């Protein structure tokens, strides 16, 4: 950075970002009856059973997960990483939610 805002440095993924096709449904605001309220993870009188979690630690569980996710319209992904003894870090947890 040279202190001037006359120019910018291109994002190395600019071509991919600009060329990424978005389905029209992702760009529209859903109607109120189309919005699913997420299940709370807290155990309360209204929610006595917490959300279910499953550790995917075998290839067969991974294949079953993929089969279940194929029919989903939206999937949320969260990556957790650590950088202990590493400059770039390691992904140590991948969380998926539908």
């Amino acid at each position: 950075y040279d202190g001037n805002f006359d120019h910018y440095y291109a994002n190395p993924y600019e071509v991919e970002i600009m060329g990424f096709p978005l389905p029209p449904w992702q760009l529209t605001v859903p109607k109120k009856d189309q919005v699913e309220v997420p299940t709370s993870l807290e155990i309360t009188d209204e929610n006595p059973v917490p959300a279910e979690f499953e550790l995917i630690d075998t290839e067969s569980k991974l294949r079953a997960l993929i089969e279940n996710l194929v029919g989903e319209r939206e999937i949320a992904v969260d990556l957790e990483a650590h950088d202990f003894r590493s400059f770039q870090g390691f992904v140590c947890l991948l969380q998926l939610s539908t």
Side-chain angles (χ1 to χ4, degrees):
Y1 175 68
D2 62 4
N4 294 319
F5 291 101
D6 299 350
H7 63 280
Y8 70 96
Y9 296 100
N11 184 315
Y13 297 106
E14 184 173 9
V15 172
E16 290 84 356
I17 292 169
M18 299 309 290
F20 185 75
L22 289 171
W25 64 266
Q26 284 188 332
L27 301 173
T28 58
V29 177
K31 295 180 179 143
K32 201 168 193 162
D33 63 339
Q34 295 173 319
V35 177
E36 271 187 58
V37 177
T39 305
S40 173
L41 301 180
E42 234 179 284
I43 298 175
T44 63
D45 290 336
E46 295 83 27
N47 185 34
V49 180
E52 293 182 28
F53 300 92
E54 182 178 357
L55 176 64
I56 306 298
D57 57 355
T58 65
E59 185 176 340
S60 61
K61 285 183 182 179
L62 180 60
R63 289 185 185 282
L65 172 65
I66 292 168
E67 287 178 21
N68 287 334
L69 293 177
V70 165
E72 294 295 333
R73 185 169 163 176
E74 296 176 325
I75 300 169
V77 178
D78 179 33
L79 298 174
E80 303 294 333
H82 72 81
D83 58 3
F84 184 66
R85 296 184 181 164
S86 166
F87 175 73
Q88 292 182 325
F90 297 93
V91 172
C92 56
L93 176 65
L94 166 66
Q95 300 175 82
L96 298 175
S97 182
T98 57

